[in-house]
Amino acid sequence: MISNIYMSTCSLCRKRPSIVYSRASGEKLCARCLIKRVEKGVMKALREEAKRKRKFAVLGLESTETIVIIRIVSRKIKNTSFVVIEYEKNPLISWITARYRIETVPSVDDSFVQILPFSLESASVTFLRSLIKLRLNFLTLKYILPLAKFPRKHIETYAALNKLPIVPFRTSFKKIEKLLAEIEQTTPTIRYQFLTSIENIKSNVSL
Protein backbone atom coordinates (compact mmCIF):
# COMPACT_ATOMS: atom_id res chain seq x y z
CA MET A 1 0.00 0.00 0.00
CA ILE A 2 1.36 3.43 -0.97
CA SER A 3 1.79 5.93 1.88
CA ASN A 4 -0.53 8.95 1.85
CA ILE A 5 2.55 11.19 2.00
CA TYR A 6 3.60 10.15 -1.49
CA MET A 7 0.07 10.65 -2.82
CA SER A 8 -0.11 14.24 -1.50
CA THR A 9 1.02 17.52 -3.01
CA CYS A 10 3.74 19.63 -1.41
CA SER A 11 2.32 22.16 1.07
CA LEU A 12 4.70 24.89 -0.18
CA CYS A 13 4.88 24.75 -3.98
CA ARG A 14 1.55 22.92 -4.38
CA LYS A 15 2.92 21.35 -7.54
CA ARG A 16 5.22 18.42 -6.84
CA PRO A 17 4.50 15.24 -4.83
CA SER A 18 5.58 15.34 -1.19
CA ILE A 19 8.24 13.01 0.22
CA VAL A 20 8.38 14.01 3.91
CA TYR A 21 5.77 14.92 6.50
CA SER A 22 6.05 17.00 9.68
CA ARG A 23 3.61 15.80 12.32
CA ALA A 24 4.18 18.93 14.41
CA SER A 25 3.27 21.43 11.67
CA GLY A 26 1.24 19.23 9.34
CA GLU A 27 3.43 20.26 6.40
CA LYS A 28 4.24 17.90 3.55
CA LEU A 29 7.29 18.80 1.46
CA CYS A 30 8.57 17.74 -1.95
CA ALA A 31 12.26 17.08 -2.57
CA ARG A 32 13.01 20.55 -3.96
CA CYS A 33 11.19 22.43 -1.20
CA LEU A 34 12.79 20.27 1.49
CA ILE A 35 16.27 21.10 0.18
CA LYS A 36 15.44 24.81 0.05
CA ARG A 37 13.90 24.73 3.53
CA VAL A 38 16.93 23.05 5.14
CA GLU A 39 19.50 25.25 3.38
CA LYS A 40 17.55 28.43 4.11
CA GLY A 41 17.25 27.42 7.78
CA VAL A 42 21.00 26.90 8.15
CA MET A 43 21.86 30.14 6.34
CA LYS A 44 19.38 32.15 8.41
CA ALA A 45 20.84 30.79 11.65
CA LEU A 46 24.36 31.83 10.59
CA ARG A 47 23.55 35.13 8.88
CA GLU A 48 23.43 37.39 11.94
CA GLU A 49 26.68 36.04 13.36
CA ALA A 50 28.34 36.24 9.93
CA LYS A 51 27.45 39.96 9.71
CA ARG A 52 29.47 40.49 12.87
CA LYS A 53 32.41 38.80 11.14
CA ARG A 54 32.39 36.01 13.69
CA LYS A 55 34.48 32.90 13.16
CA PHE A 56 32.63 29.58 13.15
CA ALA A 57 33.64 26.13 14.32
CA VAL A 58 31.55 23.09 13.44
CA LEU A 59 31.64 20.40 16.11
CA GLY A 60 32.86 17.36 14.18
CA LEU A 61 30.56 14.62 15.38
CA GLU A 62 30.24 11.39 13.44
CA SER A 63 26.71 12.13 12.26
CA THR A 64 24.61 12.91 9.22
CA GLU A 65 23.90 16.34 10.70
CA THR A 66 27.61 17.20 10.70
CA ILE A 67 27.96 16.23 7.04
CA VAL A 68 24.90 18.25 6.05
CA ILE A 69 26.03 21.39 7.90
CA ILE A 70 29.55 21.24 6.45
CA ARG A 71 28.12 20.87 2.93
CA ILE A 72 25.71 23.79 3.29
CA VAL A 73 28.15 26.15 5.01
CA SER A 74 30.96 25.46 2.55
CA ARG A 75 28.72 25.86 -0.50
CA LYS A 76 26.28 28.57 0.55
CA ILE A 77 28.01 30.83 3.09
CA LYS A 78 30.69 32.86 1.32
CA ASN A 79 33.49 34.97 2.81
CA THR A 80 33.07 33.35 6.22
CA SER A 81 35.86 31.78 8.22
CA PHE A 82 35.07 28.38 9.71
CA VAL A 83 36.87 25.25 10.83
CA VAL A 84 35.81 21.81 12.00
CA ILE A 85 36.65 20.68 15.53
CA GLU A 86 38.01 17.14 15.36
CA TYR A 87 38.87 15.93 18.86
CA GLU A 88 40.29 12.69 17.49
CA LYS A 89 40.87 11.39 14.00
CA ASN A 90 37.72 10.10 12.37
CA PRO A 91 37.56 8.71 8.80
CA LEU A 92 34.16 10.30 8.11
CA ILE A 93 35.21 13.77 9.27
CA SER A 94 38.52 13.44 7.41
CA TRP A 95 36.62 12.58 4.23
CA ILE A 96 34.05 15.40 4.38
CA THR A 97 36.61 18.06 5.33
CA ALA A 98 38.97 16.92 2.55
CA ARG A 99 36.08 16.98 0.06
CA TYR A 100 35.23 20.60 0.88
CA ARG A 101 38.81 21.64 1.73
CA ILE A 102 38.10 22.68 5.30
CA GLU A 103 40.67 22.96 8.04
CA THR A 104 40.31 20.74 11.10
CA VAL A 105 41.52 21.73 14.57
CA PRO A 106 41.55 19.88 17.92
CA SER A 107 39.97 22.83 19.78
CA VAL A 108 39.02 26.52 19.48
CA ASP A 109 39.07 29.53 21.78
CA ASP A 110 36.22 31.80 22.85
CA SER A 111 36.46 33.95 19.72
CA PHE A 112 34.68 31.19 17.78
CA VAL A 113 30.95 30.57 17.67
CA GLN A 114 30.38 26.83 17.77
CA ILE A 115 27.94 25.26 15.33
CA LEU A 116 26.39 22.24 17.02
CA PRO A 117 25.20 19.64 14.49
CA PHE A 118 22.07 18.56 16.34
CA SER A 119 18.73 17.60 14.84
CA LEU A 120 15.46 18.32 16.63
CA GLU A 121 15.69 14.96 18.40
CA SER A 122 19.37 15.06 19.39
CA ALA A 123 19.18 18.69 20.60
CA SER A 124 16.14 18.07 22.79
CA VAL A 125 17.61 14.89 24.30
CA THR A 126 21.04 16.46 24.92
CA PHE A 127 19.71 19.58 26.61
CA LEU A 128 17.10 17.75 28.69
CA ARG A 129 19.81 15.41 29.98
CA SER A 130 22.00 18.41 30.84
CA LEU A 131 19.15 19.94 32.84
CA ILE A 132 18.45 16.69 34.67
CA LYS A 133 22.15 16.37 35.54
CA LEU A 134 22.28 20.11 36.47
CA ARG A 135 25.04 20.67 33.93
CA LEU A 136 24.08 24.19 32.95
CA ASN A 137 27.27 25.48 31.33
CA PHE A 138 25.62 25.19 27.91
CA LEU A 139 23.51 28.23 28.84
CA THR A 140 26.55 30.51 28.69
CA LEU A 141 28.40 29.03 25.71
CA LYS A 142 28.40 30.74 22.31
CA TYR A 143 26.75 28.29 19.96
CA ILE A 144 24.07 28.04 17.29
CA LEU A 145 21.85 25.12 16.33
CA PRO A 146 21.12 25.48 12.58
CA LEU A 147 19.41 22.09 12.24
CA ALA A 148 17.54 21.90 15.54
CA LYS A 149 14.25 22.87 13.86
CA PHE A 150 14.40 19.85 11.57
CA PRO A 151 13.46 16.26 12.47
CA ARG A 152 16.19 13.71 11.85
CA LYS A 153 14.19 12.11 9.05
CA HIS A 154 14.16 15.40 7.11
CA ILE A 155 17.93 15.80 7.52
CA GLU A 156 18.58 12.22 6.40
CA THR A 157 16.29 12.74 3.40
CA TYR A 158 18.21 15.92 2.51
CA ALA A 159 21.46 13.93 2.71
CA ALA A 160 20.09 11.16 0.51
CA LEU A 161 18.85 13.65 -2.10
CA ASN A 162 22.33 15.16 -2.27
CA LYS A 163 24.05 11.76 -2.36
CA LEU A 164 25.69 12.21 1.03
CA PRO A 165 26.35 9.32 3.44
CA ILE A 166 23.76 8.67 6.15
CA VAL A 167 25.21 7.73 9.52
CA PRO A 168 23.03 5.43 11.66
CA PHE A 169 21.79 7.30 14.71
CA ARG A 170 23.10 6.10 18.07
CA THR A 171 22.27 7.51 21.48
CA SER A 172 23.31 6.53 24.97
CA PHE A 173 20.38 8.49 26.41
CA LYS A 174 17.68 5.99 25.50
CA LYS A 175 15.47 6.63 28.53
CA ILE A 176 15.27 10.37 27.81
CA GLU A 177 14.61 9.74 24.12
CA LYS A 178 11.84 7.29 25.03
CA LEU A 179 10.31 9.82 27.43
CA LEU A 180 10.22 12.58 24.79
CA ALA A 181 8.92 10.18 22.15
CA GLU A 182 6.04 9.15 24.42
CA ILE A 183 5.09 12.77 25.18
CA GLU A 184 5.34 13.51 21.45
CA GLN A 185 2.49 11.09 20.76
CA THR A 186 0.02 13.44 22.45
CA THR A 187 1.95 16.72 22.08
CA PRO A 188 3.73 16.68 18.69
CA THR A 189 5.34 20.09 19.31
CA ILE A 190 6.90 19.21 22.68
CA ARG A 191 10.49 19.18 21.38
CA TYR A 192 10.05 22.56 19.67
CA GLN A 193 8.51 24.02 22.82
CA PHE A 194 11.33 22.70 24.98
CA LEU A 195 14.09 24.08 22.72
CA THR A 196 12.34 27.45 22.50
CA SER A 197 12.26 27.57 26.30
CA ILE A 198 15.98 26.78 26.44
CA GLU A 199 16.71 29.61 23.99
CA ASN A 200 14.62 32.02 26.07
CA ILE A 201 16.49 31.07 29.23
CA LYS A 202 19.82 31.34 27.43
CA SER A 203 18.93 34.83 26.18
CA ASN A 204 18.08 36.00 29.71
CA VAL A 205 21.28 34.50 31.12
CA SER A 206 23.28 36.37 28.46
CA LEU A 207 21.78 39.76 29.40
Coordinates of all heavy atoms in Angstrom, one line a residue, residues 1 8 12 16 22 35 38 50 53 55 58 65 72-73 89 123 133 142 146 160 162 171 177 200 205:
M1 N 0.8 -1.2 0.0 CA 0.0 0.0 0.0 C 0.9 1.2 0.0 O 1.8 1.4 0.8 CB -0.9 0.0 1.2 CG -1.8 1.2 1.3 SD -3.0 1.1 2.7 CE -3.9 2.6 2.5
S8 N 0.3 12.9 -1.8 CA -0.1 14.2 -1.5 C 0.8 15.2 -2.2 O 1.9 14.9 -2.6 CB 0.0 14.5 0.0 OG -0.9 13.6 0.7
L12 N 4.1 23.6 0.2 CA 4.7 24.9 -0.2 C 4.5 25.2 -1.6 O 3.9 26.3 -2.0 CB 6.2 24.9 0.1 CG 6.6 24.9 1.6 CD1 8.1 25.0 1.8 CD2 5.9 26.0 2.4
R16 N 4.5 19.7 -6.8 CA 5.2 18.4 -6.8 C 4.8 17.5 -5.7 O 4.3 18.0 -4.7 CB 6.7 18.6 -6.8 CG 7.3 19.4 -8.0 CD 8.8 19.7 -7.8 NE 9.0 20.7 -6.8 CZ 9.0 22.0 -7.1 NH1 8.8 22.4 -8.4 NH2 9.2 22.9 -6.2
S22 N 5.8 16.5 8.3 CA 6.1 17.0 9.7 C 4.8 16.9 10.5 O 3.8 17.6 10.2 CB 6.5 18.5 9.6 OG 6.7 19.0 11.0
I35 N 14.9 20.6 0.3 CA 16.3 21.1 0.2 C 16.4 22.6 0.4 O 17.2 23.1 1.2 CB 16.8 20.8 -1.2 CG1 17.1 19.2 -1.3 CG2 18.1 21.5 -1.5 CD1 17.5 18.8 -2.7
V38 N 15.8 23.4 4.3 CA 16.9 23.0 5.1 C 18.1 24.1 4.9 O 18.6 24.6 5.9 CB 17.4 21.6 4.9 CG1 18.7 21.3 5.6 CG2 16.4 20.6 5.3
A50 N 27.4 36.0 11.0 CA 28.3 36.2 9.9 C 28.5 37.7 9.7 O 29.6 38.2 9.4 CB 27.9 35.5 8.7
K53 N 31.1 39.3 11.5 CA 32.4 38.8 11.1 C 32.9 37.8 12.2 O 34.1 37.8 12.5 CB 33.4 39.9 10.9 CG 33.0 40.9 9.8 CD 34.1 41.9 9.6 CE 33.7 42.9 8.5 NZ 33.3 42.3 7.2
K55 N 33.9 34.1 13.7 CA 34.5 32.9 13.2 C 33.7 31.7 13.7 O 33.2 31.7 14.8 CB 35.9 32.8 13.6 CG 36.8 33.9 13.1 CD 38.3 33.7 13.6 CE 38.4 33.9 15.1 NZ 39.9 33.8 15.5
V58 N 32.5 24.2 13.4 CA 31.6 23.1 13.4 C 32.1 22.0 14.3 O 33.2 21.5 14.2 CB 31.3 22.6 12.0 CG1 30.3 21.4 12.0 CG2 30.9 23.7 11.1
E65 N 24.1 14.9 10.5 CA 23.9 16.3 10.7 C 25.2 17.1 10.5 O 25.2 18.2 9.9 CB 23.4 16.6 12.1 CG 22.0 16.1 12.4 CD 21.9 14.7 13.0 OE1 22.9 13.9 12.7 OE2 21.0 14.4 13.7
I72 N 26.5 22.5 3.5 CA 25.7 23.8 3.3 C 26.6 25.0 3.6 O 26.6 26.0 2.8 CB 24.5 23.8 4.2 CG1 23.5 22.7 3.7 CG2 23.8 25.2 4.1 CD1 22.3 22.6 4.7
V73 N 27.3 25.0 4.7 CA 28.2 26.2 5.0 C 29.2 26.4 4.0 O 29.5 27.5 3.5 CB 28.8 26.0 6.4 CG1 29.8 27.1 6.7 CG2 27.7 26.0 7.5
K89 N 41.0 11.7 15.4 CA 40.9 11.4 14.0 C 39.7 10.5 13.7 O 39.5 9.5 14.4 CB 42.2 10.7 13.5 CG 43.3 11.7 13.3 CD 43.0 12.8 12.3 CE 44.1 13.8 12.1 NZ 43.7 14.9 11.1
A123 N 19.1 17.5 19.8 CA 19.2 18.7 20.6 C 18.3 18.6 21.8 O 18.7 18.9 23.0 CB 18.8 19.9 19.8
K133 N 20.9 16.6 34.9 CA 22.1 16.4 35.5 C 22.7 17.7 36.2 O 23.7 17.7 36.8 CB 23.2 15.8 34.6 CG 22.9 14.5 34.0 CD 23.1 13.4 35.1 CE 22.9 12.0 34.5 NZ 23.1 10.9 35.5
K142 N 28.8 30.1 23.6 CA 28.4 30.7 22.3 C 28.2 29.6 21.3 O 29.2 29.0 20.8 CB 29.5 31.7 21.8 CG 29.5 33.0 22.7 CD 30.4 34.1 22.0 CE 31.8 33.6 22.0 NZ 32.7 34.7 21.4
P146 N 21.8 25.3 13.9 CA 21.1 25.5 12.6 C 20.1 24.4 12.2 O 19.2 24.7 11.4 CB 22.3 25.5 11.6 CG 23.5 25.7 12.4 CD 23.2 25.1 13.7
A160 N 20.3 12.1 1.6 CA 20.1 11.2 0.5 C 19.9 11.8 -0.8 O 20.4 11.4 -1.9 CB 18.9 10.3 0.8
N162 N 21.1 14.6 -1.8 CA 22.3 15.2 -2.3 C 23.5 14.1 -2.3 O 24.6 14.5 -2.4 CB 22.7 16.3 -1.4 CG 21.8 17.5 -1.6 OD1 22.0 18.3 -2.6 ND2 20.9 17.8 -0.7
T171 N 22.3 6.7 20.3 CA 22.3 7.5 21.5 C 22.4 6.7 22.7 O 22.0 5.5 22.8 CB 20.9 8.3 21.6 OG1 20.9 9.1 22.8 CG2 19.7 7.3 21.6
E177 N 15.2 9.8 25.5 CA 14.6 9.7 24.1 C 13.2 9.1 24.2 O 12.3 9.5 23.5 CB 15.5 9.0 23.2 CG 15.0 8.8 21.8 CD 14.6 10.0 21.1 OE1 15.3 11.0 21.2 OE2 13.5 10.0 20.4
N200 N 15.1 30.9 25.3 CA 14.6 32.0 26.1 C 15.4 32.2 27.4 O 15.8 33.3 27.7 CB 13.1 31.9 26.4 CG 12.3 32.1 25.2 OD1 12.7 32.7 24.2 ND2 11.1 31.5 25.2
V205 N 20.0 34.7 30.4 CA 21.3 34.5 31.1 C 22.4 35.4 30.5 O 23.3 35.9 31.2 CB 21.7 33.0 31.1 CG1 23.1 32.8 31.5 CG2 20.8 32.2 31.9

